[in-house]
Amino acid sequence: MTGSDVLASLHPRLPSPLQEVRDARFTRHGIRLLLKRDDLIHPELIGNKWRKLAPNLDAAAGRRIVTFGGAYSNHLRATAAAGRILGLPTTGVVRGQELADRPLNPSLARCAADGMRLHFVDRSTYRHKTDPETLAAILRAAGAEDAYVVPEGGSNAEAVRGCMSLGTELRGHADVVALACGTGGTLAGLTAGLAPTQRTLGIPVLKGGFLTADIQALQKQAFGGHRGAWSLDDRFHFGGYARTTPELDTFAEDFEQRHGLPVERLYVAKLLYGLVALAEEGSLAPGSTLAAVITGRP
Ligand SMILES: *Cc1c(COP(=O)(O)O)cnc(C)c1O
């Protein structure tokens, strides 16, 4: 079997479902809200992680996959699950040497249970992991010199092109497509798949304001230049990655109850909160259809 046959044998639910929800906070401003349920693509390779990993699993062609993440990385979890399901060896390089001496948190314990080898590095080494010499040293120390390397967050050119399908599935269905961004790889690809009349709105969950340049670089790598109409709204990161407030938690619980949607907290909660705020301040045109991409699940 080729890589893509293996992936097809996992029976991903594609295109992912598109569901309309009735929510007065949108309808009273004349906005139709759709949920693009990428969280339902596969029970373990969830959401945008499927779209980003699939082409890389193919390109790895059976080699060990090495990738990078923090102690709670959804990307590490998805890579580990893919490795178990497809019988591919995986190594996760984890930020934080000190974690090596502590019991694994539930996220890393899952990775280990899925057969992922964990290799902990100190924060300074981790920061320099894209320098060729540092990377070579990490791979040597992890005993993974011939491995296929997937960058942190999984966003390389293959992953970005893999996310174009999310855009093509949404052609003709919405005026604005909104999603939460970490590395911005999903946005970079999704935008390239949309029709010229559609635009993308990204809600970064990390603080820093570096994402515009990162997305431009990812689009250049994947497509040779800028694609599509996209913008970012930096007001809804709640202090940074994995930061939350009681207000955000209450909002997420309330959304779950109203719509029966399990709301992933690191990304999806911030997206939905941001969209409600944008609707209330009148930033979304009355009469328009908004598709919120549900990129993951709790
Ligand atoms: C990884 C992840 C993202 C971020 O995707 P990027 O391509 O890195 O921007 C968004 N939502 C969820 C649920 C994720 O797990």
Side-chain angles (χ1 to χ4, degrees), residues 9-278:
S9 74
L10 298 177
H11 305 296
R13 187 167 172 193
L14 290 171
S16 64
L18 187 61
Q19 301 169 340
E20 177 156 7
V21 294
R22 305 209 121 264
D23 189 315
R25 294 170 295 186
F26 294 90
T27 47
R28 71 167 162 259
H29 300 285
I31 298 152
R32 236 179 112 219
L33 176 66
L34 307 175
L35 302 181
K36 178 64 170 162
R37 300 291 305 273
D38 264 22
D39 57 313
L40 300 177
I41 291 177
H42 189 275
E44 291 187 90
L45 304 184
I46 297 160
N48 63 348
K49 300 300 181 283
W50 171 280
R51 296 189 194 266
K52 291 164 75 172
L53 265 175
N56 279 296
L57 296 171
D58 215 5
R63 276 175 291 168
R64 172 175 291 275
I65 294 176
V66 174
T67 193
F68 303 82
Y72 290 93
S73 164
N74 287 342
H75 165 66
L76 283 187
R77 284 267 296 278
T79 306
R84 188 196 79 241
I85 298 166
L86 298 174
L88 288 174
T90 61
T91 297
V93 178
V94 185
R95 179 180 58 231
Q97 181 65 55
E98 72 283 1
L99 299 172
D101 306 321
R102 295 191 201 150
L104 297 178
N105 71 38
S107 187
L108 291 176
R110 265 312 290 275
C111 292
D114 281 341
M116 177 175 261
R117 263 200 233 153
L118 299 176
H119 180 76
F120 297 90
V121 299
D122 65 76
R123 281 156 205 273
S124 154
T125 304
Y126 191 89
R127 225 178 357 262
H128 295 105
K129 63 191 173 306
T130 55
D131 299 346
E133 281 178 24
T134 308
L135 176 62
I138 293 173
L139 294 179
R140 227 173 8 253
E145 282 152 295
D146 300 322
Y148 179 83
V149 176
V150 176
E152 177 179 40
S155 289
N156 54 12
E158 285 77 12
V160 169
R161 289 192 291 261
C163 290
M164 281 179 76
S165 61
L166 174 54
T168 53
E169 288 174 24
L170 284 164
R171 282 184 171 220
H173 293 293
D175 303 296
V176 179
V177 177
L179 79 167
C181 300
T183 63
T186 306
L187 183 147
L190 147 68
T191 309
L194 291 173
T197 51
Q198 297 175 288
R199 69 180 181 92
T200 310
L201 171 66
I203 305 288
V205 305
L206 284 89
K207 200 166 132 181
F210 49 80
L211 205 55
T212 300
D214 286 3
I215 294 171
Q216 279 163 350
L218 285 168
Q219 288 200 324
K220 191 155 203 303
Q221 247 182 296
F223 309 117
H226 186 96
R227 289 291 181 281
W230 56 268
S231 61
L232 303 175
D233 192 324
D234 250 323
R235 291 177 294 163
F236 305 107
H237 55 66
F238 286 84
Y241 186 72
R243 298 286 176 88
T244 185
T245 65
E247 189 192 359
L248 182 64
D249 288 333
T250 305
F251 170 85
E253 282 163 26
D254 172 69
F255 200 95
E256 290 185 333
Q257 276 172 5
R258 282 177 196 241
H259 302 301
L261 175 83
V263 175
E264 190 271 352
R265 294 299 201 269
L266 302 179
Y267 294 92
V268 177
K270 293 179 183 181
L271 166 70
L272 295 171
Y273 184 99
L275 293 180
V276 169
L278 287 164

